[in-house]
Amino acid sequence: MRQLDDYRMRMGRHELVPIMIGGMGVDISSSDLALEAARLGGVGHISDAMVKTVTDRRYKTKYVKAKQKQYQYNVDSEDKSGVKFDLGHLAEATRMHVEKTMTRKAGSGLVFINCMEKLTMNAPKETLKVRMASALDAGIDGITLAAGLHLGSLALIEDHPRFRDAKLGIIVSSLRALQLFLKKNSRLNRLPDYVVVEGPLAGGHLGFGMDWAQYDLATIVAEILAWMKTEQLDFPVIPAGGIFTGSDAVRFMEMGASGVQVATRFTVTRECGLPDDIKQEYFKAVEDDIEVNEISPTGYPMRMIKASPGIGDGIRPNCEAYGYLLDANGKCAYVTSYNRELAAHPGEKRFSVTDKTCLCTHMRNFDIWTCGQSAWRLKDTSLRGSDGQYQLLSAEHVFNDYRLSTDGRVALPEPEVATA
């Protein structure tokens, strides 16, 4: 029986282990996790979601505090149109995050950065251009365009000296989305270096409606591969979403995929940026604990553990400090919902907002526990101690289990030896 390690993914001059770890924000796909993937010969992602918060935490910068101080006067206003990001600070934060990651890189693999189009930041084009250009300046190996169609994103960096050097790819959930992207960017004479095909069982934001269960990743991948063959297009196709074992991955490789993107199993590794107590919540989740809801202000359905503390929380919007989801007119669906409930509960200090959530604040605080549909199976990948706690895994262990497992098996870790 074949193993995933029997295959290699070619991306330009690079021959890679066909495993890509997805870009989970905010700093859940940490530098440590991405660097382990690269060291082991695969592809790792960092995320630029709320990059100023990430650098403040990791490198003791003060970007969030400075922005909050600048716009403190606007906290009680419903009008957030004047709350802007300092593009110079945004560039500095992005370069710092990328440079400090890339200087530690070892091994034959690659490190990419995940850039979400839905992080509109009250200036969609300007902020996205700065984020991408600054990542290229800082030496990132590649950029994955996520959470959006990105019909104009590549044009924002076509004049960058690394535009044809760095790897540029996009996440799609349908053949139609890929066709639109290719058509819109045809004048650039620059095909993507890879396309991640994310199916309905993926974690976090989904490229489907609430009818997501009617779709199937294998069907979408087969449709894309057949169309690409007809059009004589040749770039890596990388399925994602619900690929829990190496055997799951091999089935896609046998279809003609070049690699797989995986993420959920890495949420319970030591290198993952989630706090350890929340990793235990992922281990403990059962199948009924996983839900897809519409609380994200982005408009996309979102998969998470339904015990996430951020669900239904009525915290005051923190746009002055964050504001990553403010659209080009300074609007956010959570701000609208919050103000509706504020008007309905005069004088009350705390109330619930059930239809949307302040994604910036709650992702920053790790209070929205996004996950793939198979997260309830995580308990079967580790050992449980006498205290009820599950043993955290190493990223290397999970990576190599994908590479080497057969027959749908999951390798358990060696028991940790207690020390005095």
Side-chain angles (χ1 to χ4, degrees):
M1 181 170 289
R2 303 203 76 175
Q3 301 171 321
L4 185 56
D5 202 42
D6 294 330
Y7 300 87
R8 286 297 178 267
M9 175 167 61
R10 296 190 179 275
M11 200 173 289
R13 60 184 176 84
H14 300 278
E15 184 176 279
L16 304 158
V17 177
I19 299 173
M20 176 182 283
I21 300 179
M24 300 173 283
V26 173
D27 207 29
I28 296 173
S29 284
S30 66
S31 296
D32 290 343
L33 183 55
L35 290 168
E36 271 296 270
R39 183 183 70 83
L40 295 165
V43 180
H45 275 93
I46 55 177
S47 169
D48 80 339
M50 299 186 70
V51 67
K52 290 184 175 184
T53 293
V54 174
T55 59
D56 282 0
R57 278 179 169 160
R58 290 189 170 271
Y59 311 120
K60 310 307 178 186
T61 53
K62 303 292 184 183
Y63 294 120
V64 173
K65 186 176 181 180
K67 182 171 179 282
Q68 185 173 30
K69 183 178 180 181
Q70 181 180 359
Y71 295 109
Q72 184 66 30
Y73 70 88
N74 199 67
V75 167
D76 294 325
S77 174
E78 295 184 20
D79 182 2
K80 306 296 184 184
S81 59
V83 179
K84 302 286 187 178
F85 280 80
D86 183 308
L87 296 182
H89 288 173
L90 181 59
E92 288 175 9
T94 303
R95 285 196 296 265
M96 184 180 301
H97 186 34
V98 174
E99 284 174 354
K100 288 186 177 293
T101 300
M102 300 306 288
T103 55
R104 296 166 53 203
K105 183 185 160 191
S108 59
L110 302 173
V111 175
F112 293 170
I113 191 166
N114 181 281
C115 291
M116 296 172 61
E117 188 177 33
K118 282 293 184 178
L119 295 184
T120 41
M121 302 167 68
N122 208 354
K125 290 183 180 180
E126 295 85 353
T127 52
L128 182 58
K129 179 176 181 176
V130 166
R131 287 153 53 202
M132 293 191 296
S134 300
L136 293 174
D137 291 342
I140 199 71
D141 290 323
I143 297 175
T144 298
L145 305 173
L149 293 174
H150 287 278
L151 300 183
S153 298
L154 290 187
L156 297 175
I157 53 171
E158 64 176 314
D159 294 330
H160 195 282
R162 295 193 61 214
F163 180 63
R164 299 186 186 277
D165 165 50
K167 304 303 176 191
L168 303 176
I170 185 168
I171 298 178
V172 301
S173 294
S174 68
L175 172 58
R176 179 61 176 157
L178 177 59
Q179 290 171 331
L180 286 171
F181 176 80
L182 295 175
K183 181 179 180 180
K184 187 67 175 180
N185 291 284
S186 59
R187 73 164 186 82
L188 300 175
N189 193 29
R190 196 341 178 160
L191 289 172
D193 295 290
Y194 58 97
V195 57
V196 177
V197 182
E198 196 169 82
L201 303 183
H205 289 104
L206 304 180
F208 303 86
M210 290 302 287
D211 61 347
W212 59 269
Q214 299 178 22
Y215 297 88
D216 171 68
L217 176 60
T219 301
I220 301 168
V221 169
E223 186 179 17
I224 287 175
L225 288 170
W227 179 80
M228 286 178 57
K229 184 176 181 180
T230 299
E231 297 296 316
Q232 297 183 314
L233 293 171
D234 184 21
F235 45 77
V237 172
I238 304 170
I243 301 170
F244 200 77
T245 69
S247 299
D248 296 335
V250 166
R251 283 192 282 273
F252 284 105
M253 302 301 287
E254 290 174 341
M255 289 175 59
S258 296
V260 294
Q261 178 171 286
V262 290
T264 292
R265 285 189 59 188
F266 288 92
T267 59
V268 290
T269 60
R270 290 189 289 272
E271 293 84 355
C272 172
L274 282 171
D276 287 354
D277 59 335
I278 296 175
K279 293 173 186 175
Q280 294 298 322
E281 298 295 329
Y282 278 62
F283 274 127
K284 292 187 292 185
V286 299
E287 190 168 10
D288 287 345
D289 291 333
I290 313 299
E291 73 172 22
V292 176
N293 58 44
E294 296 181 282
I295 66 171
S296 171
T298 65
Y300 286 128
M302 200 174 184
R303 177 174 281 113
M304 62 189 68
I305 297 173
K306 61 186 178 183
S308 300
I311 298 176
D313 187 84
I315 193 169
R316 187 184 67 192
N318 281 309
C319 305
E320 285 67 35
Y322 309 123
Y324 285 85
L325 293 179
L326 292 174
D327 66 17
N329 299 309
K331 302 292 185 182
C332 171
Y334 177 73
V335 176
T336 300
S337 294
Y338 173 85
N339 287 324
R340 180 198 67 221
E341 294 301 319
L342 180 65
H345 298 83
E348 294 185 27
K349 291 184 177 181
R350 295 291 292 177
F351 49 82
S352 182
V353 179
T354 58
D355 58 321
K356 296 297 175 186
T357 192
C358 184
L359 203 57
C360 293
T361 301
H362 292 310
M363 290 298 289
R364 183 263 180 205
N365 293 336
F366 303 107
D367 283 340
I368 294 292
W369 302 337
T370 57
C371 63
Q373 185 63 32
S374 300
W376 62 275
R377 298 174 60 187
L378 288 171
K379 61 178 62 63
D380 299 326
T381 69
S382 188
L383 304 171
R384 194 174 192 182
S386 57
D387 60 355
Q389 298 290 293
Y390 288 88
Q391 181 177 318
L392 297 182
L393 308 171
S394 72
E396 181 176 15
H397 168 81
V398 177
F399 190 97
N400 285 332
D401 187 40
Y402 271 111
R403 287 177 58 196
L404 303 173
S405 72
T406 56
D407 292 323
R409 292 192 295 263
V410 172
L412 296 177
E414 291 294 323
E416 291 180 337
V417 178
T419 57

